[in-house]
Amino acid sequence: MSMQTSLSKDAAMRSKNQPGLDAQSTVYRILIAISLVHLFNDSIQSVIPAIFPILKDSMHLTYTQIGWISFAINFTASIMQPVVGWFADKKPTPSILPIGMGFTFTGMLLLAFADSYMAVLISVIFVGLGSAAFHPEGSRVSHMAAGPRRGLAQSIFQVGGNAGQSLAPLLTRWIFIPFGLFGAIGFTGIAAMGIAVQIYIARWYGRMLQSGGYLRKQAAARRAPNPALRKKIAAAITILILLVFVRSWYVASIGSFYAFNLKELFSLSTEDAQIYIFLFLAAGALGTFFGGPLADRFGKRNMIFLSMAGAAPLALLLPYANLFWTGVLLTIIGFIMLSSFSVTVVYAQMLIPGKIGTVSGLITGLAFGMGGLGALVLGNWIDVFGVSPVMQMCSFLPLIGIFTFLLPSDKVLKRWADENGSEE
């Protein structure tokens, strides 16, 4: 007993001397820092679809070519995120964080001097690689710093990204419309600040790994489930992927092409159309922040269902609204639909505990990839059928959220974890 008491005192002293290493506490300074970098990363990434009207006019591109640009950045991030997450689960590497932001820096530098369609494609691929490197490890940092408040922690992390996305239309209005593509040079400064913050986070991340407690906890949670439970988990992941697929296609339809719809229906300028996309994305950022704490209180499956079912009737009304109600509906739909953005990540982590990087990379990477694929397909359809008919068709997508009822409830997930002996 005396030896055990001595060990406990030693552990307490180590925790005191190395603040933030206690896995039971929520480390808000790290959560705020990683959320800030998420804001930098996603504001840069989201500038790409926001400047589509400028690219289309200046380079005389078709909607299909615009779709390929969106596909290039999103699909790059989609493919590489699970790969980075899988590698980091095997060998956590804090240096991935600043290296990823270095790719983003390179992409924006190339974009500033891009003088051809191919040069634009290459630059956005670099930005996609930077995003792929950041998101799985950023989600892991959020998980490490969460303590008992995982929903809140993931919301703090994700709200930075969604806030960055919401700024893209305004940044386009203030920077790219007056300065053209060369305006991208200013975003290299944002990327440089991101690298500096990532170095700070990486040092904390490294100390956490050296303490050993986090890796032991993850190893304990990484037990293979029994065959019957594995089938149930696979079915639940499949349904969750379907829901992410639907949400991503709908968000892509608004973020990539709704500005064109507004210009066509209401004769808005590019600058004014961007304001309505900002309303959708800014409300989505706010919804992301509140979604996590609400899911902690009312259940993650319930929150995922509400985000889809609540948005569905409003999405059906949107194509037929006048300009005023278009702004109102876009704001409400963005808040409701994106309230489940962080929740789906935490839900997936509960389904497959112990593989934080892989699961986060799969879900967030899938969101990017499906958004890119959606933009490519929708761009082709718009070239054939026109903007308004395709937007009307997309309004039916949130109805697929009814399949959320096929997901296991939070209580069932807890029971599965107990049956499998997981510490998650």
Side-chain angles (χ1 to χ4, degrees):
M1 288 294 292
S2 60
M3 181 178 292
Q4 190 174 18
T5 303
S6 176
L7 289 172
S8 298
K9 288 181 178 179
D10 289 343
M13 287 297 294
R14 285 195 300 271
S15 178
K16 184 177 180 180
N17 293 332
Q18 301 183 59
L21 298 186
D22 182 1
Q24 300 306 310
S25 62
T26 303
V27 190
Y28 287 101
R29 61 187 173 84
I30 296 298
L31 290 174
I32 292 171
I34 199 67
S35 181
L36 178 64
V37 178
H38 204 177
L39 186 149
F40 292 161
N41 181 89
D42 283 25
S43 64
I44 293 172
Q45 180 176 336
S46 298
V47 156
I48 306 303
I51 63 173
F52 284 169
I54 297 171
L55 288 172
K56 187 176 186 300
D57 293 339
S58 63
M59 293 188 174
H60 308 290
L61 304 180
T62 65
Y63 286 108
T64 300
Q65 288 175 309
I66 291 292
W68 274 112
I69 296 173
S70 182
F71 179 79
I73 184 171
N74 289 306
F75 200 65
T76 301
S78 174
I79 289 175
M80 293 305 298
Q81 278 197 47
V83 174
V84 172
W86 175 84
F87 172 80
D89 282 336
K90 297 289 185 181
K91 185 177 176 59
T93 309
S95 61
I96 287 178
L97 291 168
I99 289 172
M101 190 58 70
F103 276 104
T104 302
F105 177 97
T106 303
M108 296 310 287
L109 184 63
L110 292 174
L111 184 63
F113 297 97
D115 58 357
S116 68
Y117 178 64
M118 187 57 64
V120 171
L121 281 175
I122 292 171
S123 65
V124 302
I125 286 173
F126 269 95
V127 176
L129 289 172
S131 181
F134 167 71
H135 281 94
E137 284 297 77
S139 190
R140 182 193 303 280
V141 167
S142 170
H143 185 269
M144 295 169 87
R149 309 194 69 181
R150 291 178 58 189
L152 175 63
Q154 192 64 221
S155 284
I156 292 174
F157 171 62
Q158 296 292 355
V159 76
N162 284 10
Q165 292 175 27
S166 72
L167 291 175
L170 297 183
L171 294 172
T172 300
R173 180 186 175 97
W174 295 332
I175 297 174
F176 285 100
I177 289 177
F179 298 107
L181 283 185
F182 187 72
I185 198 73
F187 291 90
T188 60
I190 295 176
M193 288 190 290
I195 291 171
V197 179
Q198 290 285 52
I199 291 172
Y200 168 76
I201 295 169
R203 289 175 177 169
W204 177 86
Y205 184 177
R207 291 196 299 271
M208 282 287 288
L209 295 178
Q210 289 173 4
S211 72
Y214 179 79
L215 292 179
R216 286 193 298 271
K217 182 180 179 182
Q218 290 304 103
R222 210 174 283 136
R223 300 172 183 173
N226 62 65
L229 184 55
R230 189 182 298 119
K231 290 181 180 180
K232 294 177 181 178
I233 291 173
I237 281 289
T238 301
I239 296 168
L240 190 65
I241 286 173
L242 172 66
L243 296 172
V244 172
F245 174 94
V246 169
R247 186 185 64 200
S248 299
W249 271 52
Y250 187 79
V251 172
S253 74
I254 301 297
S256 295
F257 296 111
Y258 210 77
F260 296 108
N261 191 48
L262 291 171
K263 291 173 68 175
E264 181 178 290
L265 289 179
F266 303 110
S267 301
L268 295 182
S269 65
T270 298
E271 296 95 320
D272 291 339
Q274 295 293 339
I275 294 174
Y276 289 83
I277 310 306
F278 167 75
L279 291 174
F280 175 80
L281 295 173
L286 196 62
T288 297
F289 179 76
F290 285 103
L294 288 172
D296 283 341
R297 181 178 179 84
F298 299 108
K300 294 169 182 60
R301 187 190 69 170
N302 293 341
M303 199 64 209
I304 294 171
F305 173 75
L306 178 63
S307 74
M308 301 293 286
L314 302 177
L316 290 170
L317 289 173
L318 180 62
Y320 310 101
N322 61 28
L323 187 59
F324 171 78
W325 283 106
T326 292
V328 173
L329 289 172
L330 281 172
T331 303
I332 300 173
I333 292 169
F335 181 90
I336 296 174
M337 180 162 280
L338 289 172
S339 65
S340 66
F341 195 93
S342 64
V343 181
T344 51
V345 176
V346 176
Y347 187 93
Q349 291 171 353
M350 292 172 65
L351 277 171
I352 310 176
K355 296 184 179 180
I356 302 302
T358 304
V359 172
S360 301
L362 175 65
I363 297 301
T364 57
L366 186 71
F368 285 127
M370 290 301 100
L373 181 60
L376 177 59
V377 173
L378 294 174
N380 277 275
W381 289 351
I382 289 170
D383 277 333
V384 176
F385 303 109
V387 177
S388 293
V390 173
M391 293 299 104
Q392 291 168 12
M393 181 183 63
C394 289
S395 69
F396 288 90
L397 286 172
L399 290 173
I400 299 175
I402 194 70
F403 287 105
T404 304
F405 275 124
L406 298 177
L407 288 173
S409 67
D410 293 47
K411 290 182 179 179
V412 171
L413 285 184
K414 179 67 166 58
R415 189 174 74 245
W416 288 359
D418 292 341
E419 289 174 359
N420 198 46
S422 168
E423 293 185 18
E424 288 287 297

